Amino acid sequence: MPTTPSSLDQMVTALVPSLSRSLAEQFNVFRVMHHGTHEKQLSNVFAWLLRVDGTHGLGDAFQILFVEHVNRYLPAGRQVPVCGYRVVQEVDTSGPDPRGRDIADIVLASDRASVVVENFESSDGHGHDYEGYLAFGAQGGKQSAVVLLCARHENHRQKRGWERAVVLTYAELLAGLSAHIADNTAWRCEHPQQLFFINEMFHHFLEGPTAMNIEDRITFIRTMCETGESARYGHRPQEVAAQEFADLLAQHARRQFDEGRGTLAEAKRALKRFAEQILMDQINSALQNGHIASVQARFVGQWEWCITLGRSDSAPAVYLEFGPTAVVENGRAPVPLADPDYAKVFVTRKAADYDGIDQIVQTAVGLDEVLAGLGGDDVRLRDGVLAVVKAN
């Protein structure tokens, strides 16, 4: 299917509102504990499921499911036994003459075979030694397989031997476990606590937050049609088509996110230059005291998209804010703006008697104008600053 970057960019932009609603925070024990935000946490969960004597009460069901998935991607002569493994975490695979210490996240080991697992968000060896992993598993003449366990399969990230690794995604493994549990009525009745925990894991790592509502689903379909992507619904197998589409969309979403951050950084530099070269004089010529004494752009994190106008005479500082920082500030303003346009520049004033702001106004200056360059006779930001400075 011919796909242009512009059509996918349009799709990402159009789908952000509906996807953000579906990604809204929902109760889940993993989210409450912030569990699964680091690969070690995820490795703990999968190692627990893989252990035959684990407190999950599933015996070797998940271990068999896991190795069967591994064997699907191995040639017939290299397939490994599907059960009988000990499960160990954080295993040093460097060998007797190491080129550097290397640690595998999980190793399944038996007398006949070893499966060495690297767990990471994407299918990326991220600096680990594929050949070292393979050689470690083959010690003692064993059959050896190396697995990349990940949330996303991204072929272009597999380099330096990792293109030969078996790639298993959380989704395909947990989907198989979900089907097994659904058919195992006795286990469900006998293990209610484990059932709750594993269901929470499905929701967190597999199903994600609540699905989109009907209106959002229709918006999604309409957007697929309008951007030339609707033919994907006819591709088979649908699981592969869905994953390919998700991977492609994720790449474009990431590029748009990165470019968005770059645009914010350019706007910040341009706004600081304008404040130093023009705005400071404009404001100071209109004030009798509390002049602008400094222009700084030193904040990071959620406050990063901000220019601080420090003032003399102990007067409260004034801020030029935009984008994500303006969102945060409007949320904590005593009187938030009812319908803010976050493509504009905002002006806020530091509160005198508490940590926060006591004034916020939206100017008519757009970020596109800041990037294009504001003229020396443009007084719209000056007027915004004066409005908050003189407010009661």
Side-chain angles (χ1 to χ4, degrees):
M1 171 193 304
T3 300
T4 64
S6 61
S7 70
L8 284 170
D9 289 343
Q10 292 169 20
M11 168 163 282
V12 171
T13 302
L15 292 179
V16 163
S18 61
L19 292 177
S20 64
R21 286 192 291 273
S22 74
L23 293 171
E25 184 76 8
Q26 303 288 330
F27 170 77
N28 182 279
V29 66
F30 286 89
R31 284 191 284 276
V32 171
M33 296 187 300
H34 295 282
H35 195 89
T37 57
H38 188 276
E39 63 181 79
K40 179 63 166 63
Q41 296 173 332
L42 284 170
S43 295
N44 289 340
V45 173
F46 280 101
W48 173 69
L49 287 170
L50 285 165
R51 290 189 175 98
V52 173
D53 59 352
T55 55
H56 45 69
L58 292 166
D60 61 1
F62 188 76
Q63 185 176 116
I64 291 173
L65 183 150
F66 182 91
V67 181
E68 284 179 343
H69 275 74
V70 172
N71 281 338
R72 291 178 189 176
Y73 298 95
L74 293 175
R78 289 182 49 206
Q79 293 183 354
V80 297
V82 297
C83 60
Y85 295 93
R86 304 179 305 279
V87 179
V88 189
Q89 292 180 258
E90 299 293 305
V91 178
D92 188 341
T93 62
S94 304
D97 186 21
R99 287 169 287 179
R101 193 163 182 261
D102 205 3
I103 304 295
D105 294 315
I106 303 172
V107 173
L108 285 72
S110 73
D111 294 337
R112 295 175 51 196
S114 295
V115 180
V116 185
V117 181
E118 181 58 35
N119 174 43
F120 194 56
E121 182 181 8
S122 64
S123 55
D124 183 347
H126 60 112
H128 292 281
D129 183 0
Y130 170 83
E131 297 295 343
Y133 278 20
L134 190 65
F136 174 84
Q139 288 179 347
K142 295 181 183 180
Q143 294 172 274
S144 178
V146 178
V147 174
L148 274 172
L149 178 62
C150 58
R152 300 188 311 277
H153 187 178
E154 298 177 286
N155 294 332
H156 65 279
R157 292 181 176 273
Q158 292 171 240
K159 300 177 181 178
R160 299 179 181 177
W162 287 102
E163 61 274 10
R164 301 196 299 276
V166 172
V167 178
L168 300 181
T169 64
Y170 305 151
E172 63 180 307
L173 290 171
L174 295 179
L177 180 59
S178 177
H180 173 79
I181 288 176
D183 292 337
N184 194 336
T185 304
W187 180 89
R188 294 166 66 89
C189 293
E190 294 170 7
H191 300 86
Q193 292 177 303
Q194 292 91 329
L195 175 61
F196 169 79
F197 180 84
I198 291 176
N199 277 336
E200 290 289 277
M201 183 172 63
F202 292 154
H203 289 304
H204 187 58
F205 297 123
L206 177 59
E207 299 174 10
T210 303
M212 295 185 289
N213 61 32
I214 291 296
E215 181 181 352
D216 288 337
R217 293 179 210 171
I218 293 173
T219 297
F220 185 93
I221 293 169
R222 183 176 65 242
T223 304
M224 291 284 283
C225 295
E226 291 174 347
T227 55
E229 297 295 319
S230 56
R232 293 181 186 274
Y233 282 116
H235 289 190
R236 293 292 185 274
Q238 269 290 288
E239 293 80 6
V240 174
Q243 187 61 54
E244 289 177 349
F245 175 66
D247 292 344
L248 190 59
L249 204 61
Q251 292 175 29
H252 279 259
R254 172 154 189 169
R255 182 177 62 78
Q256 283 188 256
F257 181 87
D258 290 342
E259 290 181 357
R261 183 175 178 84
T263 299
L264 288 168
E266 290 177 24
K268 183 176 180 179
R269 289 191 292 269
L271 197 57
K272 184 173 184 288
R273 285 195 302 270
F274 181 78
E276 291 171 332
Q277 298 171 8
I278 298 172
L279 183 60
M280 181 186 293
D281 291 340
Q282 288 180 338
I283 296 169
N284 288 344
S285 64
L287 293 176
Q288 294 183 348
N289 51 53
H291 292 119
I292 304 302
S294 65
V295 176
Q296 297 179 327
R298 62 185 180 183
F299 294 128
V300 296
Q302 63 182 351
W303 312 111
E304 185 169 356
W305 317 112
C306 168
I307 306 299
T308 303
L309 305 180
R311 299 174 64 199
S312 62
D313 305 321
S314 300
V318 175
Y319 307 103
L320 305 178
E321 299 178 324
F322 56 97
T325 301
V327 175
V328 175
E329 291 286 58
N330 193 48
R332 69 176 192 156
V335 183
L337 301 174
D339 190 21
D341 178 358
Y342 292 114
K344 304 294 185 183
V345 177
F346 295 73
V347 181
T348 63
R349 183 178 69 183
K350 187 180 188 303
D353 53 357
Y354 60 89
D355 183 21
I357 61 169
D358 61 9
Q359 294 289 328
I360 183 169
V361 301
Q362 177 182 304
T363 74
V365 178
L367 293 179
D368 55 342
E369 296 177 285
V370 173
L371 291 167
L374 298 172
D377 58 349
D378 193 324
V379 296
R380 292 175 294 170
L381 287 180
R382 180 205 67 180
D383 291 346
V385 171
L386 294 177
V388 300
V389 165
K390 296 177 180 180
N392 294 327

